[in-house]
Amino acid sequence: MNETSNKLSVKTDKDKAVAPAPAWHPFEELRREIDRLFDDGNWLKPFRGEFPGFARVGMKVPAVDIVEHDTAFEITVDLPGYDSKDVSVTLRNSNVVIKGEKSEEKQDKAKDYYLKERQYGAFERSFAVPETVDTAKVDAAFRNGVLTVTLPKSEAAQAPEQKVEVKAA
């Protein structure tokens, strides 16, 4: 009789091969989440609802910068491809309203084909005007596709700060 056939084989925890735990890479997980967010486009839904003209023709919401200087507020809007005649700036109900409307038509005729395309887009942005602005002196300038709206502060708003002494009671 074979002795090996009568022996019972028992394995202990020491004999088992344990796979190493996978390394934790928190930044890799963060990168995957950010990629997923931008890939599915859900983060754009609020903007598409607010500016429906842009979603239809593939135009994007114009970039806007608002800066406060000592003497004025300055709104800068990037409008590449627009002309000054396509843009309007108005003051309405304590707001500055910037509108833009652009339509484009392109025709291409050749011997064996005829192509005609039309594109239309519009936007309107509104910003609250602070009470410190002198609305009679608001200025707008358009140069090289950039609209700059200057909202000068009133004389009282430009007055230097006055330090008030705190007295012990």
Side-chain angles (χ1 to χ4, degrees):
M1 218 180 169
N2 191 350
E3 283 185 38
T4 56
S5 62
N6 288 338
K7 288 188 180 178
L8 214 63
S9 169
V10 177
K11 289 190 177 184
T12 63
D13 286 339
K14 288 189 242 176
D15 297 333
K16 291 183 183 176
V18 178
W24 184 55
H25 300 285
F27 293 111
E28 189 66 24
E29 292 175 28
L30 177 63
R31 185 189 61 78
R32 274 195 300 272
E33 280 298 308
I34 291 172
D35 287 347
R36 183 190 58 78
L37 180 69
F38 281 96
D39 287 343
D40 67 14
N42 284 334
W43 65 279
L44 281 175
K45 284 183 181 175
F47 295 111
R48 287 187 184 137
E50 190 175 347
F51 306 105
F54 288 103
R56 278 195 297 268
V57 295
M59 297 176 80
K60 298 184 185 216
V61 177
V64 175
D65 290 324
I66 301 174
V67 179
E68 180 178 2
H69 300 288
D70 291 337
T71 59
F73 293 94
E74 188 175 82
I75 302 173
T76 307
V77 186
D78 293 334
L79 298 168
Y82 279 78
D83 291 322
S84 59
K85 64 180 174 36
D86 299 330
V87 180
S88 70
V89 178
T90 56
L91 291 171
R92 179 184 348 145
N93 299 331
S94 299
N95 290 308
V96 61
V97 180
I98 302 170
K99 288 183 183 181
E101 188 173 325
K102 184 176 178 181
S103 61
E104 192 175 323
E105 188 171 318
K106 184 171 89 172
Q107 288 186 3
D108 191 9
K109 295 179 184 179
K111 183 179 177 181
D112 53 350
Y113 72 90
Y114 176 75
L115 174 69
K116 185 173 185 177
E117 293 180 328
R118 290 187 193 132
Q119 196 174 50
Y120 171 82
F123 73 90
E124 179 175 322
R125 301 287 308 262
S126 178
F127 304 96
V129 176
E131 293 178 15
T132 58
V133 169
D134 185 355
T135 56
K137 296 180 181 178
V138 172
D139 183 45
F142 190 86
R143 184 170 183 236
N144 296 331
V146 178
L147 173 68
T148 304
V149 180
T150 306
L151 305 160
K153 293 180 180 179
S154 64
E155 293 295 323
Q158 294 181 40
E161 292 180 356
Q162 180 180 347
K163 188 168 181 162
V164 177
E165 184 180 337
V166 179
K167 299 175 186 172

